[in-house]
């Protein structure tokens, strides 16, 4: 299935890994990656032996000791250069969230859904203040708790690939990437900017 949602982190990463390839080849690699993410997500969400232990986890070190985490890591490492600690942290967060997802909705950007969806009381899923709190989470465990809360507010209906993409962006920046190799702040490449662009763009429609 062709996926029309933008994936800023993964598209740039796969393009970097395929610098000598044509644009069409990069798009093909991205789609193959998206398909694998959806496949492993469905596998974890439908196998009680994989998702039940995840539901008992509240901290990263607990998640990384589950078979589900390692199944996901081994599946996706052929696409991703999983050498940095923050990349394993991002995968662990995503794994913990998978059991809470009721339905994968490919056509909807995850952060945009936080900005545009409304509750039965005609209120937005999260306020601007809550959105900023999520971005400014002081550590990984609190960020995980915040994202889990968002998933529940969306009734478990999210784009699993978009969710993983945004988690990777946040974990990357909290490892210091936003300042680049020369210490220059690259605002448009930051998780804060990319998350905010999707969130507020969805509210302006």
């Amino acid at each position: 299935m062709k996926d029309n949602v933008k994936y800023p982190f993964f598209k740039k990463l796969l393009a970097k890994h395929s610098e000598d390839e044509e644009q069409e080849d990069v798009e093909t690699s991205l789609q193959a990656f998206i398909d694998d993410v959806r496949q492993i997500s469905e596998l974890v969400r439908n196998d009680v032996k994989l998702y039940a232990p995840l539901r008992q986890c509240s901290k990263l070190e607990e998640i990384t000791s589950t078979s589900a985490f390692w199944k996901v890591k081994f599946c996706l490492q052929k696409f991703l250069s999983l050498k940095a600690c923050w990349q394993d942290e991002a995968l662990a967060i995503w794994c913990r969230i998978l059991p809470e997802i009721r339905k994968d909705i490919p056509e909807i950007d995850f952060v945009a859904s936080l900005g545009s969806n409304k509750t039965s009381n005609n209120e937005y899923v999260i306020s601007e203040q809550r959105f900023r709190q999520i971005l400014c989470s002081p550590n990984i465990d609190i960020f995980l708790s915040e994202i889990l809360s968002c998933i529940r507010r969306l009734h478990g209906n999210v784009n699993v690939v978009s969710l993983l993409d945004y988690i990777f962006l946040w974990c990357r920046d909290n490892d210091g990437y936003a300042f680049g190799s020369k210490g220059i702040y690259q605002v448009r490449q930051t998780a804060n900017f990319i998350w905010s662009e999707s969130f507020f763009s969805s509210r302006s429609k």
Side-chain angles (χ1 to χ4, degrees):
M1 175 174 52
K2 181 67 175 176
D3 199 315
N4 294 319
V5 173
K6 295 179 180 178
Y7 300 104
F9 176 82
F10 293 133
K11 190 167 186 176
K12 185 174 182 180
L13 178 68
L14 292 173
K16 184 178 180 181
H17 288 177
S18 311
E19 289 179 347
D20 297 329
E21 295 182 11
E22 298 291 336
Q23 179 63 28
E24 184 177 344
D25 294 329
V26 174
E27 292 293 339
T28 300
S29 296
L30 177 61
Q31 191 58 50
F33 170 74
I34 289 170
D35 292 342
D36 272 24
V37 170
R38 294 218 142 87
Q39 185 176 7
I40 192 65
S41 162
E42 186 174 359
L43 176 66
V44 172
R45 290 186 290 121
N46 291 324
D47 188 336
V48 65
K49 292 181 180 179
L50 293 175
Y51 71 70
L54 286 171
R55 280 193 165 145
Q56 300 173 7
C57 301
S58 60
K59 296 184 179 298
L60 239 62
E61 57 264 29
E62 297 170 348
I63 302 168
T64 55
S65 64
T66 64
S67 60
F69 170 80
W70 288 99
K71 187 172 287 289
V72 168
K73 181 179 171 69
F74 292 147
C75 174
L76 300 183
Q77 67 183 3
K78 61 185 177 183
F79 293 100
L80 306 174
S81 178
L82 299 174
K83 298 178 180 179
C85 289
W86 65 264
Q87 294 171 318
D88 285 334
E89 291 170 352
L91 279 183
I93 291 172
W94 188 69
C95 285
R96 172 58 188 90
I97 293 168
L98 288 179
E100 314 304 325
I101 296 176
R102 295 175 58 190
K103 185 177 181 181
D104 177 20
I105 307 179
E107 65 272 16
I108 300 178
D109 178 277
F110 168 64
V111 172
S113 68
L114 295 178
S116 60
N117 284 9
K118 292 188 176 182
T119 66
S120 57
N121 296 325
N122 203 36
E123 297 177 348
Y124 285 113
V125 172
I126 61 171
S127 65
E128 291 184 23
Q129 181 180 4
R130 183 66 181 274
F131 176 71
R132 289 192 293 272
Q133 287 177 349
I134 295 170
L135 285 176
C136 296
S137 298
N139 59 56
I140 290 286
D141 290 329
I142 291 177
F143 178 69
L144 169 60
S145 177
E146 292 282 7
I147 297 299
L148 280 170
S149 177
C150 289
I151 299 300
R152 294 179 184 120
R153 287 171 177 265
L154 291 168
H155 306 291
N157 300 318
V158 299
N159 181 331
V160 295
V161 185
S162 180
L163 172 64
L164 180 59
D165 191 72
Y166 283 112
I167 291 173
F168 259 80
L169 280 168
W170 188 90
C171 290
R172 179 202 67 181
D173 279 16
N174 280 268
D175 197 51
Y177 173 88
F179 288 92
S181 59
K182 296 181 180 179
I184 300 173
Y185 191 70
Q186 307 168 72
V187 65
R188 289 190 176 183
Q189 302 299 320
T190 64
N192 193 307
F193 186 92
I194 296 171
W195 277 61
S196 297
E197 182 178 28
S198 294
F199 184 81
F200 291 107
S201 294
S202 68
R203 289 204 170 182
S204 66
K205 296 179 180 179

